[in-house]
């Protein structure tokens, strides 16, 4: 079941790139990121409220808060850089290179989370890195 959500995520990420490239034409990328973030904030809180998840806020630990805030900071910085890259480059180059984050996440998961590095995972990461280098160079 996880892979269905992963495929949907990839599909919506692809739409994000196309919609953003059209939407940022002639717009400051920081302003575009702020608008996008406000929309996401509204949608995410709407879903959380409608599903009754907001009641769980009180049960979050200090560690939950620290790492969720850090994740939010990383997301924000990623979006700012992504929009700037989209404004300067072509979607067909920027979007695949942005997915280099997959290979980086694999390395970080092995180093910091102790996840196993299988031959299949290593090969996939290597192919992503190779593809990104082809697009960059």
């Amino acid at each position: 079941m996880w892979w269905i959500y992963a495929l949907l995520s990839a599909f919506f990420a692809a739409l994000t790139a196309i919609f953003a490239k059209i939407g940022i034409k002639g717009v400051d990328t920081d302003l575009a990121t702020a608008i996008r973030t406000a929309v996401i904030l509204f949608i995410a809180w709407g879903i959380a409220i409608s599903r009754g998840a907001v009641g769980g806020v009180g049960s979050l630990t200090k560690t939950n808060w620290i790492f969720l805030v850090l994740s939010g900071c990383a997301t924000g910085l990623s979006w700012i850089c992504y929009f700037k890259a989209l404004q300067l480059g072509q979607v067909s180059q920027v979007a695949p290179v942005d997915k280099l984050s997959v290979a980086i996440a694999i390395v970080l998961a092995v180093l910091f989370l102790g996840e196993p590095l299988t031959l299949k995972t290593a090969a996939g990461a290597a192919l992503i890195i190779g593809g990104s280098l082809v697009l960059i160079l």
Side-chain angles (χ1 to χ4, degrees):
M1 185 64 156
W2 64 266
W3 59 272
I4 293 172
Y5 288 106
L7 287 173
L8 287 170
S9 175
F11 174 73
F12 288 122
L15 287 179
T16 297
I18 301 302
F19 294 159
K21 182 67 175 180
I22 297 167
I24 61 173
K25 187 174 183 178
V27 176
D28 179 85
T29 56
D30 295 331
L31 174 61
T33 302
I35 292 168
R36 174 186 180 186
T37 303
V39 170
I40 293 167
L41 182 70
F42 178 76
I43 291 170
W45 275 105
I47 291 169
I49 291 167
S50 70
R51 292 188 176 180
V54 178
V57 170
S59 66
L60 295 175
T61 66
K62 183 178 178 182
T63 301
N64 294 140
W65 278 107
I66 289 169
F67 283 95
L68 288 173
V69 168
L70 287 173
S71 175
C73 291
T75 298
L77 291 170
S78 172
W79 290 351
I80 288 167
C81 294
Y82 184 71
F83 268 45
K84 192 63 175 176
L86 277 177
Q87 193 170 54
L88 299 172
Q90 296 180 358
V91 171
S92 60
Q93 294 172 315
V94 173
V97 172
D98 176 64
K99 297 311 173 208
L100 185 59
S101 63
V102 173
I104 295 169
I106 290 169
V107 171
L108 294 177
V110 170
L111 293 175
F112 296 107
L113 301 177
E115 291 187 7
L117 181 62
T118 64
L119 181 59
K120 181 170 73 169
T121 304
L127 288 169
I128 291 168
I129 292 167
S132 294
L133 289 174
V134 166
L135 290 170
I136 292 170
L137 304 174

